[in-house]
Amino acid sequence: MPDVIRLILDDHEWFRSRFARLAELRADPQAANEVWLGLAARLETHASAEEEHFYPALLQQVEGSEDETRDAIGDHDEIRQGIRRAAAAEVGSDEWWAGIQDAREANDEHLDEEEHDDLPDFLRAASLELRQELGARFAGFEDEHRGARGLSGADKDPDEYVSEHGG
Ligand SMILES: [Fe+2]
C-alpha cells in the first residue's frame, strides 16, 4: 500500500528532473514542447490530487494548518498561471519560456514549503493506516486524471478552499 507522502515526494522528484531536462532543450523548441506538455499536465493532475486527497486531511489532522494550506493553494494557482501563460504563447518564443519559468519558480518554492512544513507536519499527526488509505485514493485520482483529463486547470480561491475543507 502506497503512503501518500511517498507518492507526493516521488512526483516532486519527477518534476525536478523534467524541469532540468527542459532547461537543456532551450535550442530545440519542439522537443522542449513535448517535455513541457507532459510536465504541465502532470503538475495540474498532482495539484488537483493534493487538493482532493491531501490538504483536506492536513486541515483535519494538524491544528493550525490553515495558513500553510492557504499558501499551498495559492502556490498551485501561481503554477497554473505559468502554465496558462505558456499555453497562450507561441512555442519556443520568449513569452512561452517566460510562462514555463513562472511555473518553475512557483513550483520550486512550493515543493520546498511542502517538504519542509506540510509533509512533516502530516507525518507527525497521521497514522500509517490513514497515509496508506489516502495514498490509494491519491494514486487512483492520478490514474483517472492522467494527462490532466477532466480537470479544468482553473484557479481555486485559497480562502474559500480552507473554509470549505474544514478550516
Ligand atoms: Fe502541492
Side-chain angles (χ1 to χ4, degrees), residues 31-48:
N33 190 41
E34 269 186 47
V35 171
W36 169 242
L37 292 176
L39 173 53
R42 184 124 169 220
L43 285 166
E44 176 57 45
T45 301
H46 173 86
S48 290

Side-chain angles (χ1 to χ4, degrees), residues 61-157:
Q61 299 287 316
V62 178
E63 208 176 313
S65 58
E66 289 82 3
D67 281 350
E68 56 192 285
T69 300
R70 245 178 238 113
D71 257 19
I73 306 307
D75 289 347
H76 288 177
D77 288 345
E78 280 185 38
I79 295 165
R80 291 173 168 127
Q81 285 151 24
I83 292 171
R84 288 199 297 267
R85 183 176 179 185
E90 189 189 334
V91 170
S93 64
D94 288 348
E95 176 64 13
W96 184 74
W97 283 109
I100 293 173
Q101 187 59 25
D102 286 353
R104 183 177 191 167
E105 284 169 17
N107 187 62
D108 281 347
E109 189 190 315
H110 176 61
L111 300 194
D112 278 354
E113 284 174 1
E114 276 185 349
E115 289 170 15
H116 287 101
D117 299 321
D118 312 348
L119 298 178
D121 284 353
F122 191 68
L123 191 57
R124 273 191 294 274
S127 66
L128 177 61
E129 193 188 9
L130 175 60
R131 297 190 330 256
Q132 290 180 331
E133 186 193 316
L134 292 170
R137 286 198 241 149
F138 185 93
F141 184 97
E142 286 203 326
D143 269 352
E144 189 185 335
H145 296 285
R146 199 156 295 285
R149 193 172 51 217
L151 302 173
S152 75
D155 292 351
K156 294 193 172 70
D157 183 274

